[in-house]
């Protein structure tokens, strides 16, 4: 039962609602019971005072002294409800002139004119007693009138039972009604659960209709639909990445298998075998670089890469990368020109990797004898590092896809030596880790890649 209550929202709300109803009904019942008891006691006290007044009136009549001696019960018989009334008449000297007390009850005698006193009869019933002054002929006397209310205790007990029964029945009815209303009210949640159960890789395009749900569920449905959108986008990217990955891996593997089969088709010289090994080693190195890049991208997208940010001179970093690629640039007669001055807060190793990928890409596609410009500058709250080259124009429709995995604008780029198709994707991932952005612009033969880092306001 505890497990059911712990996991069922409807049962928990119904139980709490039942508890509230029980407490409210019990409080209301207690208030009504106390008010009822107070009213009954007030009326009984008024009735008792009326009995006292009746005895006082009878004593004041002529011949009352004779009646008191011959027929003392007359003073009780003149009152309504006389069977439960106790009457005592005491003279000024304290002598008891009459004592109507068949049950030999012992009750206190208050002073004349004092408030009504309470007492408890032998049977446990509550009682009340009052005293007053009267005249018997010319002599003053004290009249004491008492009564035990045995029937009142039974009546109050029945009343308490009825209040408890009504509170319990009301709580049960309230719990049943709460369960019914909650079941109807939670129907939209069951629809959400049913829709969630239908989510699978091939059915991510379906969305929940927010207009058919209560306003309290709109944030949940909006979050659920947004989650489905992210899942759909992620699954599409994963499917495309898997297809691209299979294609990229298949090509070098197929090359190595084909070359090996041709080589083993007949006897070859040692030089031929060495050439085959060198060729296969190049393909394996390319695969290793691709695997390393893929692992980095996977860790970057899962935010598992720990950044060690440091304040760096952007110009020094550009010059460091330019010095590294100086030999490759000289082979094609390309000049690497560094300019500008700014400071950037970044992880040194990741910043150099991003710049190296951009410079390597620029050198592969720049015209021979041209200039590859490396610039650094600050614009407002960002620090921009730019790598520009003149080469084969890039069509505008390709610009938005250059940072995607394995995307290449044309066949000549896909066949570039040493390219894995992941360099620009790594650049984009590094910029996302730094909270910045990578972008590209093309103006005819000029292609410019820009890395925008956020700059601290204190700089």
């Amino acid at each position: 039962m505890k497990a059911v209550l712990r996991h069922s929202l409807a049962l928990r709300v119904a139980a709490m609602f039942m508890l509230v109803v029980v407490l409210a009904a019990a409080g209301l019942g207690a208030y009504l019971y106390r008010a009822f008891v107070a009213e009954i006691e007030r009326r009984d006290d008024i009735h008792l005072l009326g009995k006292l007044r009746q005895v006082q009136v009878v004593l004041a009549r002529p011949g009352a002294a004779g009646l008191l001696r011959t027929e003392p019960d007359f003073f009780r018989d003149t009152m309504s409800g006389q069977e439960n009334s106790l009457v005592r008449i005491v003279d000024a000297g304290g002598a008891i002139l009459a004592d109507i007390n068949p049950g030999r009850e012992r009750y206190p005698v208050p002073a004349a004119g004092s408030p009504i006193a309470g007492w408890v009869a032998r049977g446990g019933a509550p009682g009340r007693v009052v005293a007053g002054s009267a005249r018997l002929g010319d002599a003053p006397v004290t009249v004491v009138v008492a009564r035990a209310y045995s029937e009142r205790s039974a009546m109050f007990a029945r009343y308490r039972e009825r209040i408890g029964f009504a509170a319990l029945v009301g709580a049960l009815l309230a719990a049943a009604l709460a369960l019914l209303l909650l079941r109807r009210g939670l129907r939209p949640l069951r629809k959400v659960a049913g829709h969630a159960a239908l989510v699978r890789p091939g059915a991510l395009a379906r969305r929940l209709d927010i207009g058919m749900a209560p306003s309290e569920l709109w944030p949940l449905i909006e979050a659920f639909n947004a989650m489905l959108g992210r899942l759909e986008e992620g699954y599409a990217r994963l499917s495309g990445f898997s297809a691209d990955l299979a294609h990229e891996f298949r090509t070098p593997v197929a090359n190595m298998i084909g070359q090996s089969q041709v080589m083993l088709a007949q006897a070859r010289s040692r030089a031929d075998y060495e050439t085959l090994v060198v060729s296969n080693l190049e393909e394996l190195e390319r695969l290793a670089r691709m695997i390393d890049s893929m692992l980095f991208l996977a860790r970057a997208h899962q935010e598992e890469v720990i950044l060690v940010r440091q304040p760096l001179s952007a110009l020094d970093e550009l010059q460091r990368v330019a010095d590294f690629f100086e030999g490759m640039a000289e082979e094609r007669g390309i000049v690497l020109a560094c300019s500008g001055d700014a400071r950037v807060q970044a992880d040194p190793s990741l910043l150099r990797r991003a710049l190296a990928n951009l410079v390597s890409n620029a050198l592969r596609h720049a015209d021979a004898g041209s200039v590859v410009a490396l610039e650094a500058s600050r614009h407002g709250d960002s620090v921009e590092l730019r790598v520009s080259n003149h080469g084969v124009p890039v069509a505008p429709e390709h610009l938005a896809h250059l940072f995607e995995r394995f995307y290449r604008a044309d066949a000549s780029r896909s066949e570039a030596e040493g390219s894995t198709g992941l360099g620009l994707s790594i650049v984009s991932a590094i910029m996302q880790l730094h909270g910045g952005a990578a972008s590209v612009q093309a103006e005819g033969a000029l292609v410019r890649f820009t890395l925008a880092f956020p700059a601290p306001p204190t700089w």
Side-chain angles (χ1 to χ4, degrees):
M1 184 62 181
K2 291 183 179 179
V4 174
L5 285 175
R6 186 169 60 251
H7 296 291
S8 174
L9 177 62
L11 288 179
R12 279 188 291 173
V13 173
M16 289 187 289
F17 189 67
M18 180 177 178
L19 179 61
V20 170
V21 171
V22 168
L23 294 177
L28 179 61
Y31 170 76
L32 294 177
Y33 174 77
R34 291 182 178 275
F36 175 72
V37 169
E39 180 64 21
I40 294 298
E41 290 178 346
R42 187 184 69 83
R43 292 190 178 190
D44 285 343
D45 289 346
I46 293 174
H47 193 202
L48 190 62
L49 290 172
K51 293 180 184 295
L52 174 63
R53 181 58 182 164
Q54 289 177 358
V55 175
Q56 290 172 331
V57 170
V58 172
L59 288 175
R61 292 177 181 176
L67 286 174
L68 186 60
R69 290 190 299 269
T70 59
E71 298 181 39
D73 290 344
F74 173 80
F75 293 92
R76 186 186 65 179
D77 296 342
T78 58
M79 300 180 293
S80 59
Q82 67 276 12
E83 64 278 0
N84 293 325
S85 298
L86 309 176
V87 180
R88 180 182 298 175
I89 301 174
V90 183
D91 64 11
I96 298 176
L97 303 178
D99 189 8
I100 304 172
N101 189 359
R104 300 287 186 261
E105 295 285 355
R106 301 180 64 181
Y107 54 88
V109 180
S114 63
I116 300 175
W119 60 287
V120 179
R122 290 181 177 180
R128 303 284 281 175
V129 58
V130 64
S133 300
R135 298 194 67 82
L136 182 61
D138 294 333
V141 295
T142 299
V143 179
V144 180
V145 179
R147 184 174 180 182
Y149 299 98
S150 57
E151 76 287 351
R152 194 167 71 181
S153 298
M155 179 182 64
F156 288 165
R158 291 193 299 271
Y159 192 64
R160 288 194 300 268
E161 292 175 357
R162 291 178 181 178
I163 290 177
F165 178 76
L168 180 59
V169 172
L172 292 176
L173 291 177
L177 181 62
L179 282 174
L180 178 62
L181 294 178
L182 283 171
R183 184 171 180 81
R184 292 178 62 86
L186 293 177
R187 186 179 301 171
L189 284 178
R190 290 195 293 273
K191 289 184 179 180
V192 173
H195 188 86
L198 298 177
V199 174
R200 58 184 187 277
L204 295 175
R206 299 179 60 183
R207 298 291 185 272
L208 285 177
D209 185 8
I210 195 172
M212 300 299 292
S215 58
E216 291 80 3
L217 293 182
W218 289 355
L220 174 63
I221 294 177
E222 290 176 350
F224 185 77
N225 287 339
M227 179 192 68
L228 288 179
R230 292 192 298 269
L231 287 175
E232 183 180 14
E233 179 184 0
Y235 184 76
R237 293 174 58 186
L238 180 61
S239 298
F241 176 69
S242 299
D244 293 340
L245 184 62
H247 174 74
E248 294 294 331
F249 276 6
R250 183 178 59 185
T251 301
V253 172
N255 290 340
M256 288 188 291
I257 293 176
Q259 292 174 359
S260 299
Q261 288 175 341
V262 171
M263 188 64 64
L264 295 175
Q266 58 185 359
R268 304 289 181 178
S269 64
R270 178 176 179 177
D272 292 334
Y273 287 120
E274 290 179 350
T275 301
L276 174 63
V277 171
V278 171
S279 177
N280 288 347
L281 182 60
E282 292 176 352
E283 295 292 347
L284 290 173
E285 289 176 347
R286 182 169 177 266
L287 285 175
R289 291 195 302 271
M290 189 182 300
I291 293 172
D292 179 69
S293 299
M294 288 166 49
L295 290 175
F296 175 82
L297 289 174
R299 292 174 58 209
H301 289 162
Q302 295 296 326
E303 298 183 353
E304 295 179 356
V305 178
I306 299 176
L307 297 182
V308 182
R309 297 177 184 265
Q310 299 178 12
L312 303 171
S313 170
L315 183 60
D316 290 346
E317 296 301 323
L318 293 177
Q319 191 61 55
R320 184 192 300 271
V321 175
D323 293 342
F324 180 80
F325 285 97
E326 184 177 2
M328 179 178 176
E330 289 180 352
E331 291 180 358
R332 302 189 57 202
I334 297 175
V335 177
L336 295 173
C338 301
S339 62
D341 188 18
R343 295 188 65 81
V344 62
Q345 187 86 2
D347 185 293
S349 61
L350 294 182
L351 173 61
R352 293 161 191 167
R353 184 170 186 176
L355 291 174
N357 287 348
L358 292 183
V359 173
S360 174
N361 181 75
L363 291 176
R364 284 197 302 269
H365 305 298
D367 293 335
S370 62
V371 176
V372 173
L374 285 71
E375 305 168 281
S377 62
R378 174 168 177 172
H379 298 276
D381 292 335
S382 66
V383 175
E384 295 185 355
L385 307 183
R386 294 179 293 275
V387 178
S388 308
N389 70 277
H390 289 79
V392 179
V394 180
E397 61 269 17
H398 295 306
L399 293 179
H401 304 285
L402 289 183
F403 292 100
E404 296 177 3
R405 297 172 179 174
F406 302 119
Y407 186 86
R408 298 182 181 87
D410 51 47
S412 64
R413 291 176 180 262
S414 66
E415 295 172 358
E417 182 180 358
S419 175
T420 63
L422 295 173
L424 295 181
S425 298
I426 292 176
V427 172
S428 178
I430 291 174
M431 294 307 300
Q432 291 177 9
L433 289 173
H434 284 82
S439 60
V440 58
Q441 299 86 32
E443 300 175 3
L446 175 65
V447 180
R448 179 184 296 112
F449 287 89
T450 302
L451 306 181
F453 290 86
T458 56
W459 288 6

PDB file of all heavy atoms in Angstrom, residues 239-249 405-407:
ATOM      1  N   SER A 239      22.306   9.761 -38.336  1.00  0.00           N
ATOM      2  CA  SER A 239      22.156   8.890 -39.514  1.00  0.00           C
ATOM      3  C   SER A 239      23.053   9.361 -40.650  1.00  0.00           C
ATOM      4  O   SER A 239      23.736   8.562 -41.311  1.00  0.00           O
ATOM      5  CB  SER A 239      20.694   8.876 -39.961  1.00  0.00           C
ATOM      6  OG  SER A 239      19.862   8.344 -38.952  1.00  0.00           O
ATOM      7  N   GLY A 240      23.053  10.700 -40.857  1.00  0.00           N
ATOM      8  CA  GLY A 240      23.916  11.219 -41.918  1.00  0.00           C
ATOM      9  C   GLY A 240      25.377  11.009 -41.605  1.00  0.00           C
ATOM     10  O   GLY A 240      26.178  10.661 -42.496  1.00  0.00           O
ATOM     11  N   PHE A 241      25.735  11.219 -40.332  1.00  0.00           N
ATOM     12  CA  PHE A 241      27.123  11.018 -39.945  1.00  0.00           C
ATOM     13  C   PHE A 241      27.536   9.557 -40.112  1.00  0.00           C
ATOM     14  O   PHE A 241      28.645   9.262 -40.570  1.00  0.00           O
ATOM     15  CB  PHE A 241      27.314  11.459 -38.501  1.00  0.00           C
ATOM     16  CG  PHE A 241      28.696  11.193 -37.976  1.00  0.00           C
ATOM     17  CD1 PHE A 241      29.788  11.903 -38.441  1.00  0.00           C
ATOM     18  CD2 PHE A 241      28.905  10.217 -37.018  1.00  0.00           C
ATOM     19  CE1 PHE A 241      31.061  11.661 -37.953  1.00  0.00           C
ATOM     20  CE2 PHE A 241      30.171   9.971 -36.532  1.00  0.00           C
ATOM     21  CZ  PHE A 241      31.256  10.696 -36.993  1.00  0.00           C
ATOM     22  N   SER A 242      26.648   8.640 -39.772  1.00  0.00           N
ATOM     23  CA  SER A 242      26.959   7.216 -39.924  1.00  0.00           C
ATOM     24  C   SER A 242      27.180   6.863 -41.386  1.00  0.00           C
ATOM     25  O   SER A 242      28.112   6.111 -41.731  1.00  0.00           O
ATOM     26  CB  SER A 242      25.828   6.368 -39.331  1.00  0.00           C
ATOM     27  OG  SER A 242      25.666   6.633 -37.958  1.00  0.00           O
ATOM     28  N   ALA A 243      26.299   7.417 -42.251  1.00  0.00           N
ATOM     29  CA  ALA A 243      26.464   7.135 -43.682  1.00  0.00           C
ATOM     30  C   ALA A 243      27.773   7.728 -44.204  1.00  0.00           C
ATOM     31  O   ALA A 243      28.515   7.065 -44.953  1.00  0.00           O
ATOM     32  CB  ALA A 243      25.276   7.697 -44.455  1.00  0.00           C
ATOM     33  N   ASP A 244      28.049   8.994 -43.814  1.00  0.00           N
ATOM     34  CA  ASP A 244      29.298   9.618 -44.259  1.00  0.00           C
ATOM     35  C   ASP A 244      30.504   8.870 -43.714  1.00  0.00           C
ATOM     36  O   ASP A 244      31.512   8.683 -44.417  1.00  0.00           O
ATOM     37  CB  ASP A 244      29.350  11.071 -43.795  1.00  0.00           C
ATOM     38  CG  ASP A 244      28.305  11.927 -44.493  1.00  0.00           C
ATOM     39  OD1 ASP A 244      27.836  11.510 -45.566  1.00  0.00           O
ATOM     40  OD2 ASP A 244      27.942  12.978 -43.949  1.00  0.00           O
ATOM     41  N   LEU A 245      30.419   8.437 -42.462  1.00  0.00           N
ATOM     42  CA  LEU A 245      31.529   7.729 -41.849  1.00  0.00           C
ATOM     43  C   LEU A 245      31.795   6.410 -42.572  1.00  0.00           C
ATOM     44  O   LEU A 245      32.955   6.050 -42.835  1.00  0.00           O
ATOM     45  CB  LEU A 245      31.215   7.477 -40.371  1.00  0.00           C
ATOM     46  CG  LEU A 245      32.320   6.823 -39.540  1.00  0.00           C
ATOM     47  CD1 LEU A 245      33.539   7.717 -39.500  1.00  0.00           C
ATOM     48  CD2 LEU A 245      31.818   6.535 -38.131  1.00  0.00           C
ATOM     49  N   ALA A 246      30.715   5.697 -42.876  1.00  0.00           N
ATOM     50  CA  ALA A 246      30.885   4.436 -43.596  1.00  0.00           C
ATOM     51  C   ALA A 246      31.538   4.673 -44.959  1.00  0.00           C
ATOM     52  O   ALA A 246      32.413   3.908 -45.398  1.00  0.00           O
ATOM     53  CB  ALA A 246      29.533   3.748 -43.765  1.00  0.00           C
ATOM     54  N   HIS A 247      31.108   5.759 -45.613  1.00  0.00           N
ATOM     55  CA  HIS A 247      31.695   6.058 -46.927  1.00  0.00           C
ATOM     56  C   HIS A 247      33.166   6.429 -46.791  1.00  0.00           C
ATOM     57  O   HIS A 247      34.012   5.950 -47.583  1.00  0.00           O
ATOM     58  CB  HIS A 247      30.916   7.204 -47.579  1.00  0.00           C
ATOM     59  CG  HIS A 247      31.525   7.692 -48.858  1.00  0.00           C
ATOM     60  ND1 HIS A 247      31.452   6.974 -50.030  1.00  0.00           N
ATOM     61  CD2 HIS A 247      32.238   8.821 -49.140  1.00  0.00           C
ATOM     62  CE1 HIS A 247      32.081   7.630 -50.986  1.00  0.00           C
ATOM     63  NE2 HIS A 247      32.568   8.762 -50.475  1.00  0.00           N
ATOM     64  N   GLU A 248      33.495   7.273 -45.804  1.00  0.00           N
ATOM     65  CA  GLU A 248      34.882   7.693 -45.639  1.00  0.00           C
ATOM     66  C   GLU A 248      35.788   6.528 -45.253  1.00  0.00           C
ATOM     67  O   GLU A 248      36.940   6.474 -45.677  1.00  0.00           O
ATOM     68  CB  GLU A 248      34.961   8.786 -44.571  1.00  0.00           C
ATOM     69  CG  GLU A 248      34.275  10.085 -44.951  1.00  0.00           C
ATOM     70  CD  GLU A 248      34.961  10.771 -46.112  1.00  0.00           C
ATOM     71  OE1 GLU A 248      36.188  10.591 -46.265  1.00  0.00           O
ATOM     72  OE2 GLU A 248      34.285  11.491 -46.868  1.00  0.00           O
ATOM     73  N   PHE A 249      35.292   5.627 -44.438  1.00  0.00           N
ATOM     74  CA  PHE A 249      36.107   4.466 -44.067  1.00  0.00           C
ATOM     75  C   PHE A 249      36.196   3.454 -45.200  1.00  0.00           C
ATOM     76  O   PHE A 249      37.198   2.764 -45.347  1.00  0.00           O
ATOM     77  CB  PHE A 249      35.497   3.793 -42.830  1.00  0.00           C
ATOM     78  CG  PHE A 249      35.932   4.427 -41.535  1.00  0.00           C
ATOM     79  CD1 PHE A 249      36.691   5.580 -41.535  1.00  0.00           C
ATOM     80  CD2 PHE A 249      35.587   3.866 -40.320  1.00  0.00           C
ATOM     81  CE1 PHE A 249      37.095   6.165 -40.352  1.00  0.00           C
ATOM     82  CE2 PHE A 249      35.979   4.443 -39.120  1.00  0.00           C
ATOM     83  CZ  PHE A 249      36.740   5.598 -39.153  1.00  0.00           C
ATOM     84  N   ARG A 405      30.427  17.817 -40.822  1.00  0.00           N
ATOM     85  CA  ARG A 405      31.367  16.694 -40.912  1.00  0.00           C
ATOM     86  C   ARG A 405      31.371  16.108 -42.328  1.00  0.00           C
ATOM     87  O   ARG A 405      30.316  15.881 -42.922  1.00  0.00           O
ATOM     88  CB  ARG A 405      30.980  15.601 -39.926  1.00  0.00           C
ATOM     89  CG  ARG A 405      31.055  16.023 -38.468  1.00  0.00           C
ATOM     90  CD  ARG A 405      30.477  14.952 -37.576  1.00  0.00           C
ATOM     91  NE  ARG A 405      30.566  15.331 -36.162  1.00  0.00           N
ATOM     92  CZ  ARG A 405      30.035  14.627 -35.166  1.00  0.00           C
ATOM     93  NH1 ARG A 405      29.372  13.521 -35.433  1.00  0.00           N
ATOM     94  NH2 ARG A 405      30.158  15.042 -33.931  1.00  0.00           N
ATOM     95  N   PHE A 406      32.569  15.891 -42.855  1.00  0.00           N
ATOM     96  CA  PHE A 406      32.800  15.234 -44.147  1.00  0.00           C
ATOM     97  C   PHE A 406      32.229  16.019 -45.325  1.00  0.00           C
ATOM     98  O   PHE A 406      32.112  15.480 -46.421  1.00  0.00           O
ATOM     99  CB  PHE A 406      32.211  13.815 -44.169  1.00  0.00           C
ATOM    100  CG  PHE A 406      32.761  12.914 -43.098  1.00  0.00           C
ATOM    101  CD1 PHE A 406      31.929  12.364 -42.146  1.00  0.00           C
ATOM    102  CD2 PHE A 406      34.115  12.622 -43.046  1.00  0.00           C
ATOM    103  CE1 PHE A 406      32.431  11.543 -41.154  1.00  0.00           C
ATOM    104  CE2 PHE A 406      34.621  11.797 -42.059  1.00  0.00           C
ATOM    105  CZ  PHE A 406      33.771  11.256 -41.114  1.00  0.00           C
ATOM    106  N   TYR A 407      31.880  17.296 -45.112  1.00  0.00           N
ATOM    107  CA  TYR A 407      31.326  18.068 -46.222  1.00  0.00           C
ATOM    108  C   TYR A 407      32.456  18.732 -46.990  1.00  0.00           C
ATOM    109  O   TYR A 407      33.343  19.357 -46.411  1.00  0.00           O
ATOM    110  CB  TYR A 407      30.356  19.136 -45.720  1.00  0.00           C
ATOM    111  CG  TYR A 407      29.650  19.858 -46.852  1.00  0.00           C
ATOM    112  CD1 TYR A 407      28.499  19.338 -47.410  1.00  0.00           C
ATOM    113  CD2 TYR A 407      30.174  21.047 -47.369  1.00  0.00           C
ATOM    114  CE1 TYR A 407      27.860  19.996 -48.457  1.00  0.00           C
ATOM    115  CE2 TYR A 407      29.545  21.707 -48.410  1.00  0.00           C
ATOM    116  CZ  TYR A 407      28.390  21.172 -48.953  1.00  0.00           C
ATOM    117  OH  TYR A 407      27.761  21.817 -49.984  1.00  0.00           O
TER     118      TYR A 407
END
